[in-house]
Amino acid sequence: MTVGPQDTFHNYIDGEWTPCHSGRTFDNINPADTGDIVGRFQASAAVDAQAAVAAAAAAFEGWRALAPSRRAAILNRAAEHLEANADSIAAELTREEGKALNLSKDEVLRSAQTLRFYAVEGQTFTGETFPQDDPDMLVYSQREPLGVVTVIAPWNFPVSIPARKIAPALITGNTVVFKPSSDAPLSGYRLAEAFVAAGIPKGVLNFITGSAGDVGAAITEAPAVRAISFTGSTQAGEQIHRAVPMTTRTQMELGGKNPLIVMEDADLDKAVDLTIKGGFSLSGQACTGTSRVLVVASVKAAYTERLLARVRTLKIGSGMTPGMDLGPLATRKQLDNVLRYVEIGKQEATLLCGGARLTGGDYDKGYYMSPAVFTDVTQSMRIAREEIFGPVIAIIECADYADAIAKANDTEYGLSAAIATGNPRYIHRFANDIQSGTVKINRTTTGNLVNAPFGGLKRSSTSTFRESGRTGLEFYTQIKTVYRGC
Ligand code: NAP
């Protein structure tokens, strides 16, 4: 059944689907057709958020005492639910966020894969034993859950990002308060629903919608919250990080300004392909999206010519229409912000194509723009330094490998970086030289595996704990060291 303005979605607190105290709701808007309301959600306030934290705190002892195999069974059943409903959840994701339907489906299935991964890995994640001199003593470390964990997610991956936070939190025995983005709350609701369908005990997972201004402090600054896993803008992440008590552990996965280096020996068609996929899929709204292309001078003209030829063929339309290369931007705020950066770029550099709001026909209903390519970009320009988070590529000329690395690293961010080259010397050196948490060689800056660590360096992350993979479990546990004599 298609969700619409007649559907009001509740919070899930202490095992009950409940409206917020004020009874107020907000609308979830389809960015491809802004007249389409994809359900109404609770405009919660601090009092609702406090109830969610209290429920999670009350459920903690019971959940940590539950056998890991039973916790794992719940994760597996939630994964089954996501898989069984992947088509409908994906269609809703596309409707509320704008990305292509096939990408939404991939995301839902990858989220199920994440739950299954942690159901296995979490059961073998433990401490160590330490050799020592006393034959009558055993020294070992044990890992324990932290308590209440707050999970805050952005709109661009509204299922997979919370899934990779909630699954390791739950399997290690923590309880969770989950707040999705106000711009894509339905996907988060469906994820919470999967856990409810899987039989999660009351209070163990609490789902609350509402604006950051209304519920943010209550779910981040409360003393009962022992850890916060946040993905979103650097500005918001740093603000939360500064505001929380010292005893609250934080994992902040934040913005990026990701470079692709194109060397003189690169296969230029492949380099163009990496640029298009990395820079324009998801309409440039991936944290790991390519936004700077650092091209060695000798191939700059040829690369730029081939890139423009490809950009002109890109199809822009609703994510529901098969074959579209770019969908709408996710929100009005996103569109305005990206167009503002295009204007800034026009003052600083040379706009080669795109960068305009699209109008006429179905475009009038949504937040569509043409992908922009700038050239003659230099390091000091704002479009070379600030995260734009849209379909905008800045081409920067480099003299050689050393110059390209220096320019790539000349940024406050360090999330993902790629190089296009066949030269074994560059391939060998790149992983060491680049200041980035994810390093790609002849691959797009975007994309990461469920079973490998993910996270940024510099202002892209708190750089404390990594997400994803087995490493992703570390954030959710604390270590005790035990000296056991006879
Ligand atoms: P955002 O505005 O920072 O919001 C992210 C989430 O945080 C939303 O749920 C938001 O709630 C909430 N929030 C904002 N301020 C808060 C506060 N003070 N206290 C508690 N919650 C708060 O980011 P966005 O626009 O959704 O996402 C785009 C950003 O995310 C980009 O900068 C992108 O690079 C980054 N991102 C990073 C990664 C990564 O892994 N490094 C992945 C994806 C996206 P409301 O929706 O209610 O405002």
Side-chain angles (χ1 to χ4, degrees), residues 152-156 161 164 179-182 210-212 216 230-233 236 239-240 253-256 287 387 389 415 454:
I152 302 176
W155 44 263
N156 66 338
I161 287 180
R164 76 179 181 223
K179 185 195 119 44
S181 164
S182 301
S211 79
F230 170 92
T231 297
S233 59
Q239 193 249 311
I240 295 169
E253 292 307 330
L254 310 174
C287 56
E387 185 183 48
F389 214 56
L415 192 53
F454 174 73

Side-chain angles (χ1 to χ4, degrees), residues 26 150 152-157 161 164-165 179-184 209-213 215-217 219-221 230-237 239-240 252-256 258 285-288 333-334 387 389 413 415 454-456 460-461 467:
F26 65 92
T150 287
I152 302 176
W155 44 263
N156 66 338
F157 290 99
I161 287 180
R164 76 179 181 223
K165 298 172 186 294
K179 185 195 119 44
S181 164
S182 301
D183 294 312
T209 56
S211 79
V215 301
I219 58 172
T220 54
E221 295 172 29
F230 170 92
T231 297
S233 59
T234 296
Q235 189 191 19
Q239 193 249 311
I240 295 169
M252 303 285 166
E253 292 307 330
L254 310 174
N258 311 296
Q285 302 172 116
C287 56
T288 50
K333 189 171 148 209
Q334 268 292 104
E387 185 183 48
F389 214 56
Y413 295 110
L415 192 53
F454 174 73
S460 291
S461 168
E467 288 199 297

